Amino acid sequence: MANYWLFKSEPDTWSWEQQKAKGEAGEEWTGVRNYQARNNMRAMKLGDKGFFYHSNEGLEVVGIVEVCELSKPDSSAEGDARWDCVHIKAVRDVPKPVTLKAVKANPKLADMSLVTSMRLSVQPVTEEEYLEVCHMAGVDKPPRSPDSSRP
């Protein structure tokens, strides 16, 4: 089963431009203090793809990222072993950002976590949802997670 994800960030705290500036090394996805979101990061595999989503301001998918380091203790958790995080790196911009409004208007995405669990900061995305959002964003030949079932 392929894994795809959505990572939410407030652009005034951590923007897509800042993420891209980190290059191949990527950045630790710190500060998540929700057990479900943490468990999502613990389930991630190297190479898993996901969306970078600007929350609060913009409310849109603006880029595609890749998990480049597996879950480990969150350096911002000050020794609290309950909190983990992954490292992600920017893979590419989306040609046309996909707004929350557009996602909600698409019947194919009615069950997407972005619609049903809006507050969750790290969310799973099905392969079908990933491909649909990529299509809406004008992404030709979307980068795929390693265990993708489709060519």
Side-chain angles (χ1 to χ4, degrees), residues 116-141:
T116 63
S117 304
M118 289 176 50
R119 296 184 58 89
L120 191 60
S121 62
V122 179
Q123 307 176 352
V125 175
T126 68
E127 188 167 23
E128 292 75 21
E129 292 164 347
Y130 176 78
L131 294 173
E132 182 64 18
V133 172
C134 284
H135 173 74
M136 293 168 69
V139 176
D140 292 329
K141 298 181 183 170

Side-chain angles (χ1 to χ4, degrees), residues 17-147:
E17 293 304 317
Q18 289 171 296
Q19 184 67 49
K20 291 192 303 185
K22 288 295 183 171
E24 283 297 308
E27 180 68 12
E28 186 180 21
W29 199 256
T30 60
V32 173
R33 301 295 181 264
N34 172 286
Y35 289 107
Q36 188 176 356
R38 179 214 54 198
N39 291 344
N40 287 338
M41 288 192 287
R42 286 181 174 177
M44 292 177 186
K45 300 175 192 161
L46 285 176
D48 280 358
K49 304 299 184 285
F51 295 121
F52 192 101
Y53 179 86
H54 276 166
S55 62
N56 289 357
E57 187 182 309
L59 301 176
E60 59 192 2
V61 170
V62 294
I64 296 174
V65 295
E66 179 179 308
V67 175
C68 60
E69 244 182 82
L70 294 176
S71 181
K72 63 182 183 182
D74 182 334
S75 68
S76 73
E78 299 177 2
D80 187 340
R82 293 177 296 170
W83 306 115
D84 291 2
C85 64
V86 295
H87 275 66
I88 62 171
K89 66 179 180 179
V91 173
R92 66 175 291 187
D93 296 304
V94 297
K96 179 181 152 195
V98 179
T99 65
L100 176 59
K101 186 176 182 178
V103 168
K104 286 182 172 181
N106 186 329
K108 292 179 182 176
L109 301 174
D111 294 328
M112 189 172 179
S113 290
L114 187 59
V115 173
T116 63
S117 304
M118 289 176 50
R119 296 184 58 89
L120 191 60
S121 62
V122 179
Q123 307 176 352
V125 175
T126 68
E127 188 167 23
E128 292 75 21
E129 292 164 347
Y130 176 78
L131 294 173
E132 182 64 18
V133 172
C134 284
H135 173 74
M136 293 168 69
V139 176
D140 292 329
K141 298 181 183 170
R144 305 301 274 283
S145 288
D147 295 333

